[in-house]
Amino acid sequence: MTEFANRVEQVSISGIREVFEAASEDAINLGLGQPDFPTPAHARRGAIEAIESGHTDAYTSNKGTRSLREAISAKYDRDYSLEIDPEDVIATSGGSEALHLVLQAHVDPGEEVIFPDPGFVSYDALTNIADGTPKPVPLREDLTLDPATVEEAITDDTAVFVVNSPANPTGAVQSEEDMREFARIADEHDVLCLSDEVYEHIVFEGTHHSPMEFAETDNVVVVSACSKTYSMTGWRLGWVAASNRRIERMLRVHQYGQACASAPAQYAAQAALTGPQEPVEEMVETFERRRDLVVDGLEDAGLEVPTPEGAFYAMPKVPEGWCDEVLDRGVVVVPGDAFGEHGEGYARLSYATGTEDLKEALEIIDEATQAVQ
């Protein structure tokens, strides 16, 4: 009798979904990992015009349309002065597929993947799906990933280490010094650095840097997407950028598993990347104001919370029973251990929701905090 593959048996349904299912229909949802803004009008028009002109009726190149890959290449030149050949980019079905491609192409059975804990839930699951061995490492007190911790964790069996900045679930942003160190580690240890930069433009303090800026070898692969920057989570359009030899290996996985990213989404992404960037700036300014509101509210409730410098999450330390108490009172938050063992004692709050809902939620959180302390 055919049994289930062990790599699938090692993967469980996300703890985030369990929280959503436990919440009432009228609960204030601070668990969503998507912007509450519309996709920019010029991105929508890009898709509509491509559909009406018949440009989306057929497969595109496996790597994606040349015009989209040129737009992605120009973005890296504009943002980071990085020269990336359009041939060294694959357009993917969201950042999730891009992460999947990187691990499938670089991890052999049993090889280790180092990633932050607490960290994005997909890192553990996708490592198991690649038959790799998850190796989560704890964060600093400020919830950033310490390069020294990563370097100490590397063994002869390590294939990949993951850097995520700005980070989900913490909102932490790695410093330029950290990114230089991650690049050095990738170079010196000949280990692949997978840099997840999906939130790269949602930064409130400082500047986002990519380890690819500092690497002297091709041991850095970058994943990003339109999902968060342009509020396009439903469009499912991301990409991976790497050296050509790495791209060609990832393409072997992509062409059989996906063939190509959705054609309408590719044209929408091209329009988003090449069109006006004011909607992004306005969204980030709004998130920063909400960040300040949330941090102040959590601190007023007596909770300790590192100030997030990017993304749209806050991760306060919370007392035992806090998440259940908050959920029972009608506010959805995600327990920190949904993001890894070291997330226990924390909770993730998303402020990708309206200001009035946030204010009401913070009042409820204050009451709930007093009830469990």
Side-chain angles (χ1 to χ4, degrees):
M1 180 177 175
T2 302
E3 298 294 337
F4 296 111
N6 183 62
R7 61 180 173 273
V8 173
E9 294 295 86
Q10 299 301 311
V11 177
S12 58
I13 297 299
S14 167
I16 300 173
R17 177 183 292 184
E18 295 176 4
V19 174
F20 288 170
E21 291 176 349
S24 63
E25 291 184 4
D26 58 350
I28 300 173
N29 196 336
L30 304 187
L32 289 176
Q34 64 177 5
D36 60 322
F37 292 83
T39 299
H42 60 278
R44 295 182 181 186
R45 284 196 302 272
I48 293 168
E49 291 171 3
I51 291 168
E52 290 180 341
S53 63
H55 292 158
T56 62
D57 294 347
Y59 295 120
T60 72
S61 161
N62 291 136
K63 289 183 178 179
T65 65
R66 177 73 187 189
S67 55
L68 170 59
R69 288 181 287 122
E70 287 176 346
I72 293 170
S73 176
K75 165 224 165 351
Y76 282 101
D77 183 32
R78 179 178 68 242
D79 292 345
Y80 310 114
S81 298
L82 281 170
E83 293 185 10
I84 295 178
D85 192 309
E87 288 301 306
D88 297 341
V89 175
I90 301 174
T92 60
S93 292
S96 298
E97 194 216 349
L99 293 171
H100 177 69
L101 297 185
V102 177
L103 296 180
Q104 289 293 323
H106 293 93
V107 179
D108 273 328
E111 288 189 325
E112 298 169 345
V113 177
I114 297 168
F115 53 82
D117 178 0
F120 182 42
V121 294
S122 290
Y123 303 146
D124 184 280
L126 291 175
T127 297
N128 280 307
I129 291 171
D131 275 335
T133 300
K135 195 169 185 179
V137 295
L139 304 178
R140 295 169 171 141
E141 193 66 22
D142 66 356
L143 301 182
T144 58
L145 180 63
D146 189 342
T149 302
V150 172
E151 191 162 24
E152 290 168 5
I154 291 174
T155 70
D156 291 341
D157 294 324
T158 304
V160 178
F161 68 89
V162 179
V163 176
N164 177 210
S165 179
N168 176 9
T170 65
V173 176
Q174 301 288 151
S175 67
E176 178 179 347
E177 180 182 0
D178 283 347
M179 291 306 204
R180 288 183 182 275
E181 276 294 283
F182 290 132
R184 178 193 64 78
I185 291 167
D187 290 339
E188 291 186 6
H189 291 270
D190 197 22
V191 171
L192 189 72
C193 172
L194 166 50
S195 185
D196 179 352
E197 303 178 14
V198 167
Y199 293 89
E200 62 183 308
H201 290 295
I202 307 177
V203 177
F204 313 131
E205 275 87 40
T207 304
H208 168 73
H209 288 280
S210 171
M212 187 176 275
E213 296 176 61
F214 312 115
E216 296 180 1
T217 67
D218 73 343
N219 287 345
V220 175
V221 171
V222 170
V223 165
S224 195
C226 287
S227 302
K228 314 299 182 177
T229 301
Y230 298 103
S231 195
M232 293 175 64
T233 54
W235 293 83
R236 308 311 304 136
L237 197 292
W239 60 83
V240 56
S243 67
N244 191 257
R245 71 186 183 111
R246 297 192 186 281
I247 286 293
E248 292 305 316
R249 268 66 174 192
M250 288 184 274
L251 188 64
R252 299 174 192 179
V253 181
H254 175 69
Q255 67 179 354
Y256 293 112
Q258 191 66 31
C260 65
S262 159
Q266 290 189 54
Y267 284 99
Q270 178 184 332
L273 289 164
T274 58
Q277 300 302 299
E278 285 81 4
V280 178
E281 296 167 3
E282 292 169 4
M283 182 177 70
V284 173
E285 289 172 0
T286 300
F287 281 144
E288 184 172 5
R289 289 194 295 271
R290 292 179 184 172
R291 185 275 309 263
D292 294 341
L293 173 68
V294 168
V295 170
D296 287 345
L298 293 173
E299 290 179 341
D300 288 346
L303 298 174
E304 180 183 342
V305 54
T307 300
E309 297 184 345
F312 37 73
Y313 307 109
M315 204 164 193
K317 289 183 178 180
V318 297
E320 186 176 353
W322 186 89
C323 291
D324 289 337
E325 185 71 26
V326 170
L327 185 62
D328 288 345
R329 291 169 181 261
V331 175
V332 177
V333 297
V334 183
D337 58 9
F339 303 97
E341 177 184 346
H342 293 284
E344 186 173 356
Y346 290 85
R348 189 194 78 171
L349 286 68
S350 166
Y351 41 90
T353 191
T355 300
E356 293 308 310
D357 278 348
L358 285 174
K359 289 179 178 178
E360 182 179 350
L362 288 167
E363 291 178 2
I364 294 171
I365 284 170
D366 183 48
E367 296 168 359
T369 304
Q370 307 317 311
V372 298
Q373 283 182 336

